Amino acid sequence: MRSVSAPVNPAVKRFKGRISVKKFIKPTCIAVTLAAMGVIAIGKAEAAVDTETAFVLNTFSFLVHGVLVMFMAAGFAMLESGLVRSKNTAAICLKNIALYSIAGLMYYIIGYALMYTDVDKGWIGAFEFLYNPASTELALLNAEDAGKAAANAALLKGSTYASMSDWFFQMVFVATAASIVSGTLAERIKVWPFLIFVVVLTGVIYPIQGSWVWGAGWLSEMGFSDFAGSTLVHSTGGWAALAGALVLGARKGKFGPNGQVNPLPGANLPLATLGTFILWFGWFGFNGGSQLALGSAADAAAIAIVYVNTNLAAAAGVVVAMIMTQLMFKKMDLTLCLNGAIGGLVAITAGPDLQQHAHAILIGGIGGALVVIAVPLIDKLRVDDVVGALSAHLVCGIWGTLAVGIFGSGSIVTQFIGIVAIGAFVFTTSLIVWLILKATIGIRVDEEAEMAGLDTSELGMEAYPEFGRGS
């Protein structure tokens, strides 16, 4: 059991080389407004809040933005439920709530320490178990009235936020990576082997590669930049999903003997659309909270810029996907447009702090275009990706990370090195785990169970029993 004296400063833990957002700010006006609200005292235009207020605001930012990211779990569940056939809906819902739960437990038991404790420019953190509140926080909570002032001062001397607020914010990110795998492998994977993989992914694979950048590891020292996780979260989930799809194989009837691709349409496109809107909504927490502070006017202005860039990139992804599907297929495709929004969001996630909003539109628009191109290309390669997650998360995650080297302050060579290193590690380790699971307990349901649907074969129930057997 671990009790730390003080959490590591967010600026050290994540995004050491991020772009400083200073343009388009009117510090004096912001300071005056905040002072009128009783938040800060004006002495200079750049006056900041006091230490305790900054502690409160930073903690508040972690918690509220973390809640927004947690709500993305509902978005993934709805999106995937809408894009699978009705006979697999209950199973996909179970997988999503189970993977979120497992991610939370594993990240508490071992994952956070592997990712953030004693990485020291290296490759992995500490093998310590049960991350717990800082000792200074516990001292304050348990202090007698006479000692509270001293305990409060001791806490604020070494901390800028509550340690467990940071843990919570980081935890919901690892659950996102696991959700990506769920969608790709839907409709033919056994539930229990999938969840065993989630244990390894969230407890070991994700934290190790995350330590290389956000834990101040070797890639961070090289200058690799990933503001909120285009590579560390989304491409990581995509590489793990790709390895699983190759081992698992395609659904029955997806590909014909002569290379034809047979569509297996989802059962509920309104639900998939609602899920996409929820993901879009939660992404403001994903990117905005990754500023990692709300204790100054500059932080508040930076978060506002991140929010706007996030929204613009998603919007551009949708519009470009609409135009391209009309031109390529003579009709617009709703599912590709939904993934266009996600592709735009994933693409901007590596650099949502860019100060030129037009760059966000360009990055998101290219993300939407890549989705439309990649989905049929992946089908031609006979890789069965049920929800298009490889296109939206893996491909667009790579593009967004490279875009930091093009439009931001990062080096495109360093960005490429990071993409290759993380991709090789995640894909290889995931492939090994999938192959072990396949050789030991098996990962795929039999043909009869697949035809009947995972709802009945794995759960013994149907999501829509009043409509009869699902299709």
Side-chain angles (χ1 to χ4, degrees):
M1 184 174 296
R2 180 173 185 271
S3 180
V4 296
S5 58
V8 182
N9 189 287
V12 175
K13 291 174 64 176
R14 285 175 60 174
F15 326 124
K16 287 179 62 181
R18 72 171 52 168
I19 301 165
S20 177
V21 181
K22 294 181 180 177
K23 295 182 181 178
F24 316 123
I25 302 173
K26 296 181 179 179
T28 304
C29 295
I30 296 172
V32 170
T33 303
L34 292 175
M37 297 168 62
V39 176
I40 67 173
I42 292 205
K44 299 179 181 179
E46 66 271 17
V49 297
D50 62 60
T51 304
E52 184 167 11
T53 304
F55 183 98
V56 172
L57 291 175
N58 291 339
T59 299
F60 177 82
S61 178
F62 276 133
L63 294 175
V64 173
H65 284 117
V67 168
L68 287 176
V69 180
M70 186 272 173
F71 195 42
M72 291 174 68
F76 277 113
M78 292 184 182
L79 174 64
E80 294 172 22
S81 296
L83 293 180
V84 299
R85 290 167 288 179
S86 61
K87 62 185 178 182
N88 299 300
T89 304
I92 206 75
C93 289
L94 175 64
K95 283 166 56 182
N96 273 272
I97 196 167
L99 71 84
Y100 179 84
S101 304
I102 291 170
L105 292 171
M106 292 306 300
Y107 204 61
Y108 168 68
I109 293 170
I110 184 64
Y112 187 92
L114 276 178
M115 189 164 172
Y116 285 113
T117 302
D118 301 329
V119 180
D120 193 24
K121 305 178 185 179
W123 296 74
I124 192 171
F127 282 91
E128 298 179 359
F129 298 95
L130 307 181
Y131 187 83
N132 285 296
S135 58
T136 49
E137 296 171 12
L138 296 176
L140 174 60
L141 292 173
N142 296 309
E144 301 292 338
D145 290 343
K148 281 194 178 295
N152 191 64
L155 171 62
L156 297 177
K157 184 178 180 180
S159 305
T160 57
Y161 56 89
S163 58
M164 299 313 293
S165 69
D166 176 59
W167 177 88
F168 174 69
F169 183 70
Q170 308 298 341
M171 181 277 293
V172 290
F173 275 61
V174 67
T176 297
S179 296
I180 295 165
V181 184
S182 170
T184 295
L185 307 182
E187 298 201 321
R188 73 272 199 199
I189 191 167
K190 294 178 181 178
V191 172
W192 282 114
F194 168 77
L195 296 179
I196 292 172
F197 177 80
V198 170
V199 169
V200 180
L201 175 66
T202 59
V204 180
I205 298 174
Y206 174 93
I208 290 176
Q209 61 86 33
S211 74
W212 298 353
V213 184
W214 292 347
W218 69 278
L219 272 177
S220 174
E221 288 300 304
M222 286 186 63
F224 181 84
S225 178
D226 191 355
F227 190 96
S230 286
T231 285
L232 271 71
V233 179
H234 296 282
S235 285
T236 289
W239 288 117
L242 176 60
L246 293 176
V247 175
L248 183 64
R251 291 168 291 174
K252 297 297 181 183
K254 175 63 178 178
F255 302 115
N258 299 317
Q260 67 266 35
V261 178
N262 302 315
L264 301 174
N268 196 329
L269 293 186
L271 188 63
T273 304
L274 179 59
T276 303
F277 270 118
I278 291 174
L279 288 172
W280 192 329
F281 175 75
W283 229 287
F284 295 119
F286 203 96
N287 288 353
S290 292
Q291 176 65 20
L292 303 179
L294 188 56
S296 69
D299 287 322
I303 290 174
I305 288 174
V306 169
Y307 271 48
V308 171
N309 283 339
T310 300
N311 197 64
L312 289 173
V318 172
V319 173
V320 169
M322 290 173 62
I323 294 171
M324 288 191 63
T325 53
Q326 180 70 56
L327 294 175
M328 293 172 62
F329 311 124
K330 309 305 179 185
K331 293 181 185 294
M332 290 178 287
D333 187 303
L334 173 59
T335 60
L336 287 177
C337 292
L338 297 179
N339 271 321
I342 296 173
L345 289 163
V346 171
I348 199 60
T349 295
D353 57 339
L354 293 170
Q355 297 175 20
Q356 294 291 339
H357 295 308
H359 289 163
I361 295 174
L362 180 60
I363 292 168
I366 293 175
L370 287 172
V371 165
V372 177
I373 295 169
V375 167
L377 178 61
I378 289 172
D379 279 342
K380 288 181 180 179
L381 295 173
R382 302 179 75 85
V383 177
D384 189 6
D385 178 10
V386 177
V387 302
L390 297 178
S391 302
H393 295 275
L394 175 54
V395 174
C396 291
I398 292 171
W399 154 240
T401 306
L402 290 174
V404 173
I406 299 171
F407 300 103
S409 62
S411 161
I412 194 166
V413 174
T414 303
Q415 296 297 101
F416 181 76
I417 291 172
I419 291 168
V420 172
I422 291 173
F425 170 75
V426 175
F427 179 80
T428 302
T429 52
S430 297
L431 185 64
I432 292 170
V433 176
W434 285 123
L435 288 172
I436 291 173
L437 289 171
K438 181 179 181 179
T440 52
I441 61 176
I443 61 175
R444 183 169 185 142
V445 298
D446 59 40
E447 186 172 351
E448 182 180 354
E450 183 178 345
M451 294 303 295
L454 271 62
D455 287 3
T456 54
S457 63
E458 292 282 284
L459 276 65
M461 62 178 64
E462 287 193 72
Y464 308 107
E466 67 272 23
F467 297 116
R469 181 173 294 277
S471 60

